[in-house]
Amino acid sequence: MSSFGKRATGAFSGEVAPAAVLCEQPTLNKFMLLGPDAWSSLRLALSRALRQGAGHEERVRASLLPQAKAEFALAAAISGYTDFYTSVHHATAVGKLFRPDNPLLPNYKWVPIGYHGRVSSIGVSGQAFHRPRAQVLPQGESVPVVAPSRRLDCELELGIFIGTGNRLGRPIPIGEAEKHVFGITLLNDWSARDVQPWEYQPLGPFLSKNFATTLSPWVVTLEALAPYRVARVRPQTDPQPLPYLDSPADRSEGAFDIELEVLIETAAMRAKGEAPVSLAHSNYRHAYWTIAQLVAHHTINGCNLAPGDLFGTGTLSGPNPDEAGSLIELTAGGKQPLKLRNGEERTFLEDGDAIVLRGWCARAGRPRVGFGEVTGVVLPALEG
Amino acid sequence: MSSFGKRATGAFSGEVAPAAVLCEQPTLNKFMLLGPDAWSSLRLALSRALRQGAGHEERVRASLLPQAKAEFALAAAISGYTDFYTSVHHATAVGKLFRPDNPLLPNYKWVPIGYHGRVSSIGVSGQAFHRPRAQVLPQGESVPVVAPSRRLDCELELGIFIGTGNRLGRPIPIGEAEKHVFGITLLNDWSARDVQPWEYQPLGPFLSKNFATTLSPWVVTLEALAPYRVARVRPQTDPQPLPYLDSPADRSEGAFDIELEVLIETAAMRAKGEAPVSLAHSNYRHAYWTIAQLVAHHTINGCNLAPGDLFGTGTLSGPNPDEAGSLIELTAGGKQPLKLRNGEERTFLEDGDAIVLRGWCARAGRPRVGFGEVTGVVLPALEG
């Protein structure tokens, strides 16, 4: 769902009219604030209006714009951005590269690990950004240098938009958590893997992440994803979640079966008009922590959420090594280059590379749900 | 400087009138955007108008409000918040508690360490917040529990407001950095010391910090602090900063001589009408990284800053143990209780405790500059 042009909203009357009017604004924040009943009512009205043969064709046609003519924008003014780390497979794979004997830290299966990210550099699909320069410590050296990142990576994530928030000091219980969630979008968390190890102790990633984050303009509401709910992942041999992170509904249907794909389009492919090639497939159902658990955890200490807050899921790698959502995993830390179909090789991203993330839900007998795609392009570093 | 009421701005005419009009808004963000020449012109006009005997008494009097009648607010709508770690004394003291043999990490003297903080829970002086509940790992246990923090702490910091930003991808050189800085305020970075060690690996502090941060409503511009500029701290035996973090001006006058104090007012003191008692004094001149270095570092990778962005300096502990800006340092990790003047003892904060931070500049022959104070109060934890 994205915001409508002004002429669209006249198509709705009755109880959904006020919600439709709020969607005329450049961002959906005020519509988000209305809460899940209003989101649901407008979705139903939209669905009816767009159904063929419903007799609304004339009224609706005037409100429609060809997708190719639309200028896409971020769905919301993002008030806060928190990136999580919900794939145990990603956490283990990356942990192995840094700590072969102790890949997964002892807090991982208890705490939905997250940290605050940078809002200002979040852009919408199509974002082009310069390869970042920053301090790195060359291997075997003790004196750092400033250089363009040579280990620039993508991260296949989903973004979760918070629709309604909570008062400071008032946690959101897990049973209420999903009512606060507006919907899900695609998110690419660009990462400079050579900057990260030198800067991240003891306060976490900073310049290695805050130069660009790219979001899809499309947001799919949780209601639309209801046919794709599945049980959450939590092996019986693992510690079970603390009570504030647990509920029967979260256990039985707290996860979502969303297919994910990351693709690359190099400058050479683009020049020849070749389609992007796939780097990996994954699925959101493998995430160790559910959306409701992230909301409950983020607010257990009283931290307040607001309409337009964004959560990142963290890189959504699946259980098999070829289901990894980042190049650092797919290339064993840059040691095993990937051979692309056109003969090119990649360890990390080269200038001119575009990364495309796609998501969709599709099972026999259920309506297909598409997330569209999010694309971002790496431009050469600027002169230092 | 805080925003004016509407009736104030009629007192200004000529080139400063547009700037004064922007100060009628509830936040100073639009005024900040005007840049340092406008800030300086309005400061001069204000100073002239308020000077006794300048003949402006009548015009100005109508615009003034007794401080006791003013309702204070945050000076800006904070767009992003980054907390740094600029005191080498704090980093070393806290590092010693966690890693006695290796207190200061090897990146500290090269990288101005920082991380993104939470904007939504930042409040203005007078903020009262409930003691946070969160996951903690009891000593000697392997299974965490959710409990109210028992090691709740304050952090004596300064806040730095960014006035004008930069375009994504365009770093701010250190020689230009201070032109982007609007001014300095007092900041208390409340911290739950028992939550932090369990959650902070590998992505940094999260729930241990994001439940509350308290700012003074007063912002002092860098121009007003010119008489208190001093050479930055950097022993010759330390590695010298990389070129992007170095300039002759930063070396000779990049630091500020600002006196700082942290005080406590317990519920018992308040009941008896006793004044807050001092816990420690410190001075901003001891910071290892200057404001210009923080701006240059934050943007070296192209990250974009905006008017109303806030930096925290990190806890501003001085070189002597009694100049520490947090209870974890003053009590050796909670092992050596502080005896207060009224006979009470404290390791960490108790319910009802208020913490007051004060700042000022004062040297013989120079104008005194006050930062006012920032106060925050700990309320009991809510029922879980």
Side-chain angles (χ1 to χ4, degrees):
Chain A
M1 180 178 284
S2 197
S3 49
F4 319 146
K6 282 211 183 238
R7 58 196 183 136
T9 56
F12 299 98
S13 56
E15 58 166 358
V16 302
V21 167
L22 288 181
C23 293
E24 287 176 5
Q25 304 206 343
T27 65
L28 292 179
N29 296 61
K30 291 204 172 163
F31 173 61
M32 289 171 162
L33 193 57
L34 295 180
D37 290 346
W39 311 333
S40 182
S41 298
L42 184 60
R43 177 170 180 265
L44 183 63
L46 269 169
S47 170
R48 284 182 177 153
L50 293 169
R51 196 173 302 152
Q52 284 196 331
H56 303 300
E57 284 86 349
E58 278 315 306
R59 202 173 53 173
V60 169
R61 192 167 297 134
S63 309
L64 298 178
L65 190 72
Q67 205 178 105
K69 284 197 176 175
E71 183 186 338
F72 293 100
L74 291 175
I78 298 167
S79 35
Y81 167 38
T82 300
D83 200 19
F84 286 94
Y85 200 50
T86 66
S87 164
V88 67
H89 309 296
H90 172 70
T92 306
V94 171
K96 257 182 203 156
L97 296 172
F98 290 99
R99 301 172 301 272
D101 299 335
N102 181 27
L104 200 66
L105 294 169
N107 57 7
Y108 188 87
K109 293 185 173 179
W110 296 103
V111 180
I113 297 288
Y115 69 107
H116 300 113
R118 180 80 192 171
V119 170
S120 67
S121 52
I122 298 176
V124 74
S125 185
Q127 186 177 29
F129 62 90
H130 294 283
R131 177 182 298 274
R133 297 165 55 87
Q135 265 196 56
V136 294
L137 188 67
Q139 208 173 6
E141 303 287 331
S142 61
V143 173
V145 297
V146 172
S149 171
R150 293 172 170 275
R151 291 165 69 88
L152 186 61
D153 202 353
C154 55
E155 291 198 338
L156 168 64
E157 302 197 14
L158 290 172
I160 296 150
F161 270 111
I162 297 300
T164 59
N166 58 306
R167 277 176 52 206
L168 185 62
R170 306 291 166 161
I172 299 173
I174 189 163
E176 302 287 317
E178 286 193 355
K179 294 182 192 164
H180 293 261
V181 175
F182 182 70
I184 301 182
T185 186
L186 297 165
L187 185 157
N188 189 343
D189 177 25
W190 307 94
S191 302
R193 302 295 184 194
D194 38 2
V195 178
Q196 196 169 343
W198 177 232
E199 73 166 6
Y200 91 107
Q201 288 287 9
L203 301 180
F206 183 52
L207 298 186
S208 54
K209 298 279 195 174
N210 68 9
F211 54 91
T213 302
T214 316
L215 278 188
S216 161
W218 305 100
V219 185
V220 179
T221 61
L222 292 199
E223 188 181 33
L225 294 169
Y228 294 94
R229 287 184 172 274
V230 290
R232 74 178 184 210
V233 173
R234 176 70 67 156
Q236 278 305 319
T237 49
D238 278 5
Q240 294 308 294
L242 293 178
Y244 81 100
L245 297 173
D246 202 13
S247 78
D250 194 61
R251 248 170 275 156
S252 63
E253 52 169 25
F256 293 91
D257 179 8
I258 303 174
E259 305 278 354
L260 300 166
E261 186 178 16
V262 51
L263 307 96
I264 191 169
E265 181 195 68
T266 68
M269 293 175 193
R270 198 157 41 247
K272 292 186 185 168
E274 294 171 6
V277 301
S278 187
L279 293 174
H281 283 84
S282 187
N283 192 301
Y284 185 37
R285 66 186 302 159
H286 303 304
Y288 197 80
W289 296 104
T290 65
I291 293 175
Q293 287 173 323
L294 303 185
V295 171
H297 183 68
H298 203 312
T299 61
I300 179 68
N301 70 342
C303 183
N304 50 334
L305 303 180
D309 274 346
L310 176 70
F311 293 178
T313 56
T315 310
L316 289 173
S317 302
N320 298 317
D322 65 353
E323 292 168 338
S326 67
L327 290 169
I328 195 171
E329 293 165 84
L330 291 167
T331 66
K335 290 201 273 294
Q336 297 168 12
L338 286 177
K339 193 133 201 159
L340 306 181
R341 209 173 45 204
N342 69 348
E344 289 185 276
E345 285 192 349
R346 283 293 180 278
T347 47
F348 292 98
L349 295 170
E350 305 284 337
D351 292 347
D353 285 352
I355 289 289
V356 182
L357 307 183
R358 291 182 185 149
W360 66 92
C361 301
R363 295 276 175 231
R366 297 178 220 177
R368 191 182 187 284
V369 179
F371 283 75
E373 63 178 40
V374 59
T375 303
V377 185
V378 181
L379 305 176
L382 293 172
E383 292 287 311
Chain B
M1 180 180 283
S2 196
S3 49
F4 320 145
K6 283 212 185 238
R7 59 193 179 135
T9 56
F12 298 97
S13 56
E15 58 167 359
V16 301
V21 167
L22 288 181
C23 292
E24 287 176 3
Q25 303 205 344
T27 64
L28 291 178
N29 296 62
K30 292 205 172 162
F31 173 61
M32 289 171 163
L33 192 56
L34 295 181
D37 290 346
W39 311 334
S40 183
S41 298
L42 184 60
R43 178 170 180 264
L44 183 63
L46 270 169
S47 170
R48 285 182 176 153
L50 293 169
R51 196 173 303 153
Q52 284 196 331
H56 304 300
E57 284 86 349
E58 277 314 307
R59 202 173 54 174
V60 169
R61 191 167 297 135
S63 308
L64 298 177
L65 191 72
Q67 205 179 103
K69 283 196 176 174
E71 185 186 336
F72 293 99
L74 291 175
I78 298 167
S79 35
Y81 167 38
T82 300
D83 201 17
F84 287 94
Y85 200 49
T86 66
S87 163
V88 67
H89 309 294
H90 172 68
T92 306
V94 171
K96 257 182 203 157
L97 296 172
F98 291 99
R99 302 171 300 272
D101 299 335
N102 181 27
L104 200 66
L105 293 169
N107 57 7
Y108 187 86
K109 293 185 174 179
W110 296 103
V111 180
I113 297 290
Y115 69 108
H116 301 114
R118 180 80 190 168
V119 170
S120 66
S121 52
I122 298 175
V124 74
S125 185
Q127 185 176 31
F129 63 90
H130 294 282
R131 176 182 298 274
R133 296 166 56 88
Q135 265 195 56
V136 294
L137 187 67
Q139 209 173 6
E141 302 288 330
S142 60
V143 174
V145 298
V146 172
S149 171
R150 293 173 170 274
R151 291 164 70 87
L152 186 61
D153 202 351
C154 55
E155 291 197 339
L156 167 64
E157 301 196 14
L158 290 173
I160 296 151
F161 270 111
I162 297 299
T164 59
N166 58 307
R167 278 175 53 206
L168 185 62
R170 306 290 166 159
I172 298 173
I174 189 163
E176 302 287 315
E178 286 193 356
K179 293 181 192 165
H180 293 261
V181 175
F182 182 70
I184 301 182
T185 185
L186 297 165
L187 186 157
N188 189 344
D189 177 26
W190 306 94
S191 301
R193 302 295 183 193
D194 38 1
V195 177
Q196 196 169 343
W198 176 233
E199 73 166 4
Y200 92 107
Q201 288 288 8
L203 300 180
F206 183 54
L207 298 186
S208 54
K209 298 278 194 175
N210 67 10
F211 54 90
T213 303
T214 316
L215 279 188
S216 161
W218 305 101
V219 185
V220 179
T221 60
L222 293 199
E223 188 181 32
L225 293 169
Y228 294 95
R229 287 183 173 274
V230 290
R232 74 179 184 209
V233 173
R234 176 70 66 155
Q236 278 305 321
T237 49
D238 279 5
Q240 294 308 294
L242 292 178
Y244 81 99
L245 297 173
D246 202 11
S247 79
D250 194 61
R251 246 170 276 156
S252 62
E253 53 169 25
F256 293 91
D257 179 9
I258 302 174
E259 305 278 353
L260 300 166
E261 186 178 16
V262 51
L263 307 96
I264 190 168
E265 181 195 70
T266 68
M269 293 175 195
R270 196 155 44 245
K272 292 186 187 168
E274 294 172 4
V277 301
S278 187
L279 294 173
H281 283 84
S282 187
N283 191 302
Y284 186 36
R285 66 186 302 159
H286 303 304
Y288 197 80
W289 296 103
T290 64
I291 293 174
Q293 287 173 323
L294 303 185
V295 171
H297 183 68
H298 204 312
T299 61
I300 180 69
N301 70 341
C303 183
N304 50 334
L305 303 180
D309 274 347
L310 176 70
F311 294 178
T313 55
T315 310
L316 290 173
S317 302
N320 298 318
D322 65 353
E323 292 167 337
S326 68
L327 289 168
I328 196 171
E329 293 165 84
L330 290 167
T331 66
K335 289 201 274 292
Q336 297 168 10
L338 287 177
K339 194 133 200 157
L340 307 181
R341 208 173 45 202
N342 68 349
E344 290 185 274
E345 285 192 350
R346 282 296 179 277
T347 47
F348 292 98
L349 295 170
E350 305 285 337
D351 293 347
D353 284 352
I355 289 289
V356 181
L357 307 182
R358 291 182 186 151
W360 66 92
C361 301
R363 295 274 175 234
R366 296 178 221 178
R368 190 181 187 285
V369 179
F371 283 74
E373 62 177 43
V374 59
T375 303
V377 185
V378 180
L379 304 176
L382 293 171
E383 292 287 312

